[in-house]
């Protein structure tokens, strides 16, 4: 529903701005430019969607091998000691715990097709433990915030879009994205723990947090020792090695489980083709609306207003052009994706803004959409502190993305 109103607003505001510029400023080219942008944007959206087919088929095929090879289950077992502490109200051995672990593990690996059904199943199982059926429980809120914090280890879709738009090295955002999503998730978990009075000083939680912070600190220290040119080389090389390692590891895991890796790959690749075709109408709808919004001059007015507000604080305004993506992300994933593609096309896929919008897209998630789908599936009306904690996680991801992009790019 939110996207419906946003989509309508793009057209209404674009028309209003175009009318004002035509009537009061004599700009008779604005409406022809707006009309031209609709055809250009639709053509661009179709080309991008078709170009996604090959890479999506490749990665979803690899992910399906990993899924059948037991990688998701292995990751779930690895996360189990930590998640037991984060969900103290779920009885030991309850089926909801397994679904939660599997959902988070699937999200971390970018397996959206597997993550959503597992998430809905986990929510249904937690609802069985809920004494107030219309009110969100503490475990439900923790689960939702972990989903909305954008915790993803392998950002397949973002790298796919960068590759399709001609990035010199589509994986160069891999390490910055990993750092950004870490801070987003950390902020979300800490916020929920404070609300729910979960003991953050538990030995297991502290040890996990210490190891993760040590890892991030090591990356930050390593980054500080390199100039920008070497940093780009090291970041790209690291990402390439890790992603290649993931492919090999998934294939080996499938072989170990005696999975027919070729058939598993084909099965996943078919999903990739279907996904690429399915997003065509959505991408066209968003890019046409955003194209008209930009052609009318409304986007420039919005960005100028944001730049003015940021300049008042005395901060650097170089990140302002990427902010529309950050503001859209909590409301709509497809809307944010459209703005991300529009920014990369306008400013350049390898520009500072082009890379920053990728970090915004990957470091947080569609908070309101996820809450509506997951809570709506079990009839939850009172969300308590879920929205607050989810938005705090998104804000942390945006702030972290800005600082990290300044270091890397």
């Amino acid at each position: 529903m939110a996207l419906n109103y946003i989509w309508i607003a793009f057209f209404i505001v674009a028309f209003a701005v175009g009318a004002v510029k035509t009537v009061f400023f004599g700009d008779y080219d604005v409406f022809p430019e707006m009309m031209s942008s609709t055809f250009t944007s639709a053509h661009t959206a179709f080309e991008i969607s078709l170009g996604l087919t090959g890479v999506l088929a490749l990665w979803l095929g690899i992910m399906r091998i990993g899924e059948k090879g037991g990688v998701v289950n292995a990751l779930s077992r690895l996360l189990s000691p930590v998640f037991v502490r984060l969900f103290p109200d779920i009885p030991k051995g309850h089926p909801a715990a397994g679904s939660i672990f599997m959902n988070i593990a699937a999200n971390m690996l970018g397996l959206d097709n597997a993550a959503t059904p597992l998430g809905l199943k986990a929510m249904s199982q937690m609802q069985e433990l809920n004494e107030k059926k219309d009110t969100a429980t503490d475990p439900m809120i923790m689960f939702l915030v972990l989903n909305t914090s954008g915790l993803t280890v392998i950002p397949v879709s973002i790298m796919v879009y960068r590759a399709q738009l001609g990035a010199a090295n589509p994986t160069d955002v891999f390490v910055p994205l990993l750092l950004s999503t870490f801070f987003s998730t950390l902020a979300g978990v800490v916020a929920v723990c404070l609300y729910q009075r979960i003991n953050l000083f538990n030995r297991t939680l502290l040890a996990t947090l210490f190891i993760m912070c040590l890892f991030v600190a090591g990356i930050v220290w390593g980054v500080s020792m390199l100039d920008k040119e070497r940093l780009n080389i090291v970041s790209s090389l690291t990402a390439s090695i890790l992603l290649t390692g993931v492919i090999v590891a998934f294939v080996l895991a499938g072989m170990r489980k005696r999975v027919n890796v070729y058939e598993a790959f084909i099965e996943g690749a078919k999903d990739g083709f279907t996904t690429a075709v399915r997003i065509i109408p959505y991408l066209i709808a968003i890019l046409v609306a955003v194209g008209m919004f930009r052609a009318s001059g409304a986007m420039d007015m919005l960005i100028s207003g944001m730049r003015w507000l940021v300049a008042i604080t005395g901060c650097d305004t170089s990140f302002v052009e990427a902010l529309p993506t950050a503001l859209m992300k909590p409301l709509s994933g497809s809307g944010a994706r459209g703005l991300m593609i529009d920014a990369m096309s306008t400013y350049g896929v390898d520009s500072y803004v082009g890379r920053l919008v990728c970090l915004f897209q990957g470091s947080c998630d569609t908070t309101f959409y996820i809450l509506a789908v997951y809570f709506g599936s079990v009839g939850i009306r009172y969300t308590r502190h879920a929205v607050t904690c989810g938005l705090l996680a998104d804000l942390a991801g945006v702030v972290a993305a800005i600082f990290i992009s300044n270091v890397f790019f």
Side-chain angles (χ1 to χ4, degrees), residues 337-364:
R337 182 171 59 240
L339 287 171
M340 176 186 73
I341 294 171
D342 177 72
M344 286 194 287
S345 301
T346 302
Y347 300 102
V349 67
D350 286 326
S351 66
Y352 171 78
V353 172
R355 288 176 168 127
L356 180 55
V357 291
C358 293
L359 300 196
F360 284 156
Q361 180 76 357
S363 61
C364 49

Short mmCIF file of all heavy atoms in Angstrom, two decimals, residues 337-364:
data_model
loop_
_atom_site.label_atom_id
_atom_site.label_comp_id
_atom_site.label_asym_id
_atom_site.label_seq_id
_atom_site.Cartn_x
_atom_site.Cartn_y
_atom_site.Cartn_z
N ARG A 337 15.22 0.18 -4.99
CA ARG A 337 16.00 -0.40 -6.08
C ARG A 337 15.93 0.49 -7.32
O ARG A 337 16.94 0.71 -8.00
CB ARG A 337 15.47 -1.80 -6.41
CG ARG A 337 16.27 -2.50 -7.51
CD ARG A 337 15.85 -3.96 -7.66
NE ARG A 337 14.45 -4.11 -7.97
CZ ARG A 337 13.57 -4.77 -7.22
NH1 ARG A 337 13.95 -5.35 -6.10
NH2 ARG A 337 12.30 -4.88 -7.58
N GLY A 338 14.75 1.04 -7.61
CA GLY A 338 14.61 1.94 -8.75
C GLY A 338 15.43 3.20 -8.58
O GLY A 338 16.10 3.65 -9.52
N LEU A 339 15.43 3.77 -7.38
CA LEU A 339 16.22 4.97 -7.12
C LEU A 339 17.71 4.66 -7.17
O LEU A 339 18.52 5.49 -7.61
CB LEU A 339 15.85 5.55 -5.76
CG LEU A 339 14.49 6.25 -5.69
CD1 LEU A 339 14.13 6.58 -4.25
CD2 LEU A 339 14.48 7.51 -6.54
N MET A 340 18.10 3.47 -6.71
CA MET A 340 19.50 3.06 -6.77
C MET A 340 19.97 2.98 -8.22
O MET A 340 21.04 3.52 -8.57
CB MET A 340 19.69 1.70 -6.09
CG MET A 340 21.11 1.14 -6.19
SD MET A 340 21.26 -0.55 -5.52
CE MET A 340 20.43 -1.50 -6.83
N ILE A 341 19.18 2.33 -9.06
CA ILE A 341 19.54 2.20 -10.47
C ILE A 341 19.56 3.57 -11.14
O ILE A 341 20.45 3.88 -11.94
CB ILE A 341 18.55 1.26 -11.19
CG1 ILE A 341 18.71 -0.17 -10.65
CG2 ILE A 341 18.76 1.28 -12.70
CD1 ILE A 341 17.64 -1.13 -11.12
N ASP A 342 18.58 4.41 -10.81
CA ASP A 342 18.52 5.76 -11.37
C ASP A 342 19.77 6.56 -10.99
O ASP A 342 20.35 7.24 -11.83
CB ASP A 342 17.27 6.49 -10.87
CG ASP A 342 17.18 7.92 -11.37
OD1 ASP A 342 16.92 8.10 -12.57
OD2 ASP A 342 17.39 8.84 -10.57
N ALA A 343 20.20 6.45 -9.73
CA ALA A 343 21.39 7.18 -9.27
C ALA A 343 22.64 6.66 -9.97
O ALA A 343 23.51 7.44 -10.39
CB ALA A 343 21.53 7.05 -7.76
N MET A 344 22.76 5.33 -10.11
CA MET A 344 23.94 4.77 -10.79
C MET A 344 23.96 5.17 -12.25
O MET A 344 25.03 5.43 -12.82
CB MET A 344 23.95 3.25 -10.64
CG MET A 344 24.32 2.76 -9.25
SD MET A 344 24.72 0.99 -9.17
CE MET A 344 23.10 0.27 -9.36
N SER A 345 22.79 5.23 -12.89
CA SER A 345 22.71 5.62 -14.30
C SER A 345 23.02 7.10 -14.48
O SER A 345 23.64 7.50 -15.46
CB SER A 345 21.32 5.30 -14.86
OG SER A 345 21.02 3.93 -14.74
N THR A 346 22.57 7.92 -13.52
CA THR A 346 22.73 9.38 -13.63
C THR A 346 24.14 9.83 -13.29
O THR A 346 24.74 10.64 -14.00
CB THR A 346 21.72 10.09 -12.69
OG1 THR A 346 20.39 9.68 -13.03
CG2 THR A 346 21.84 11.60 -12.82
N TYR A 347 24.68 9.33 -12.19
CA TYR A 347 25.98 9.80 -11.70
C TYR A 347 27.14 8.89 -12.08
O TYR A 347 28.30 9.28 -11.92
CB TYR A 347 25.94 9.96 -10.18
CG TYR A 347 24.89 10.93 -9.70
CD1 TYR A 347 23.68 10.48 -9.18
CD2 TYR A 347 25.09 12.30 -9.81
CE1 TYR A 347 22.70 11.37 -8.76
CE2 TYR A 347 24.12 13.21 -9.39
CZ TYR A 347 22.93 12.73 -8.87
OH TYR A 347 21.96 13.62 -8.46
N GLY A 348 26.83 7.70 -12.58
CA GLY A 348 27.88 6.75 -12.95
C GLY A 348 27.94 5.62 -11.95
O GLY A 348 27.94 5.84 -10.74
N VAL A 349 28.01 4.38 -12.45
CA VAL A 349 27.97 3.21 -11.58
C VAL A 349 29.21 3.14 -10.68
O VAL A 349 29.15 2.60 -9.57
CB VAL A 349 27.81 1.93 -12.43
CG1 VAL A 349 29.05 1.68 -13.27
CG2 VAL A 349 27.50 0.72 -11.57
N ASP A 350 30.33 3.68 -11.15
CA ASP A 350 31.56 3.64 -10.35
C ASP A 350 31.86 4.97 -9.66
O ASP A 350 32.97 5.18 -9.16
CB ASP A 350 32.75 3.23 -11.24
CG ASP A 350 32.72 1.76 -11.59
OD1 ASP A 350 32.27 0.97 -10.74
OD2 ASP A 350 33.13 1.40 -12.71
N SER A 351 30.89 5.88 -9.66
CA SER A 351 31.06 7.15 -8.96
C SER A 351 30.86 6.95 -7.45
O SER A 351 30.40 5.90 -7.01
CB SER A 351 30.05 8.17 -9.47
OG SER A 351 28.73 7.76 -9.13
N TYR A 352 31.21 7.96 -6.70
CA TYR A 352 31.00 7.90 -5.25
C TYR A 352 29.52 7.68 -4.92
O TYR A 352 29.17 6.82 -4.11
CB TYR A 352 31.49 9.20 -4.60
CG TYR A 352 31.14 9.34 -3.15
CD1 TYR A 352 31.86 8.66 -2.17
CD2 TYR A 352 30.08 10.14 -2.74
CE1 TYR A 352 31.53 8.78 -0.82
CE2 TYR A 352 29.75 10.27 -1.41
CZ TYR A 352 30.47 9.59 -0.45
OH TYR A 352 30.14 9.70 0.87
N VAL A 353 28.65 8.44 -5.58
CA VAL A 353 27.21 8.30 -5.34
C VAL A 353 26.72 6.93 -5.80
O VAL A 353 25.91 6.28 -5.12
CB VAL A 353 26.43 9.42 -6.07
CG1 VAL A 353 24.92 9.18 -5.99
CG2 VAL A 353 26.76 10.77 -5.46
N GLY A 354 27.22 6.47 -6.95
CA GLY A 354 26.81 5.17 -7.47
C GLY A 354 27.15 4.02 -6.53
O GLY A 354 26.39 3.05 -6.42
N ARG A 355 28.27 4.12 -5.86
CA ARG A 355 28.65 3.09 -4.90
C ARG A 355 27.91 3.27 -3.57
O ARG A 355 27.51 2.29 -2.94
CB ARG A 355 30.15 3.12 -4.66
CG ARG A 355 30.96 2.60 -5.85
CD ARG A 355 32.43 2.75 -5.57
NE ARG A 355 33.25 2.04 -6.53
CZ ARG A 355 34.24 2.58 -7.23
NH1 ARG A 355 34.50 3.88 -7.08
NH2 ARG A 355 34.96 1.87 -8.06
N LEU A 356 27.71 4.52 -3.16
CA LEU A 356 27.04 4.78 -1.88
C LEU A 356 25.60 4.28 -1.89
O LEU A 356 25.12 3.72 -0.88
CB LEU A 356 27.08 6.27 -1.55
CG LEU A 356 26.43 6.70 -0.24
CD1 LEU A 356 27.01 5.94 0.95
CD2 LEU A 356 26.57 8.21 -0.03
N VAL A 357 24.89 4.46 -3.00
CA VAL A 357 23.50 3.97 -3.04
C VAL A 357 23.45 2.45 -2.90
O VAL A 357 22.48 1.90 -2.36
CB VAL A 357 22.77 4.41 -4.34
CG1 VAL A 357 22.52 5.90 -4.35
CG2 VAL A 357 23.52 3.97 -5.59
N CYS A 358 24.50 1.78 -3.37
CA CYS A 358 24.57 0.32 -3.19
C CYS A 358 24.70 -0.03 -1.70
O CYS A 358 24.11 -0.99 -1.22
CB CYS A 358 25.75 -0.25 -3.97
SG CYS A 358 25.56 -0.13 -5.75
N LEU A 359 25.50 0.76 -0.98
CA LEU A 359 25.66 0.52 0.46
C LEU A 359 24.35 0.79 1.19
O LEU A 359 23.97 0.06 2.11
CB LEU A 359 26.77 1.40 1.04
CG LEU A 359 28.18 1.22 0.48
CD1 LEU A 359 29.20 1.88 1.42
CD2 LEU A 359 28.54 -0.23 0.28
N PHE A 360 23.65 1.86 0.80
CA PHE A 360 22.34 2.15 1.40
C PHE A 360 21.37 1.00 1.14
O PHE A 360 20.63 0.58 2.03
CB PHE A 360 21.75 3.44 0.82
CG PHE A 360 22.39 4.69 1.34
CD1 PHE A 360 22.34 5.87 0.61
CD2 PHE A 360 23.04 4.72 2.56
CE1 PHE A 360 22.90 7.03 1.08
CE2 PHE A 360 23.63 5.88 3.05
CZ PHE A 360 23.56 7.04 2.30
N GLN A 361 21.37 0.50 -0.09
CA GLN A 361 20.46 -0.58 -0.47
C GLN A 361 20.75 -1.85 0.32
O GLN A 361 19.83 -2.59 0.67
CB GLN A 361 20.59 -0.85 -1.98
CG GLN A 361 19.70 -1.96 -2.51
CD GLN A 361 18.25 -1.55 -2.66
OE1 GLN A 361 17.89 -0.44 -2.32
NE2 GLN A 361 17.42 -2.45 -3.15
N GLY A 362 22.03 -2.11 0.61
CA GLY A 362 22.39 -3.36 1.26
C GLY A 362 22.51 -3.32 2.76
O GLY A 362 22.49 -4.37 3.41
N SER A 363 22.61 -2.12 3.36
CA SER A 363 22.86 -2.05 4.80
C SER A 363 21.58 -1.95 5.63
O SER A 363 21.65 -1.94 6.86
CB SER A 363 23.76 -0.84 5.11
OG SER A 363 23.15 0.37 4.72
N CYS A 364 20.43 -1.85 4.99
CA CYS A 364 19.16 -1.85 5.73
C CYS A 364 18.11 -2.52 4.85
O CYS A 364 18.39 -2.89 3.72
CB CYS A 364 18.73 -0.43 6.12
SG CYS A 364 18.77 0.77 4.77
#
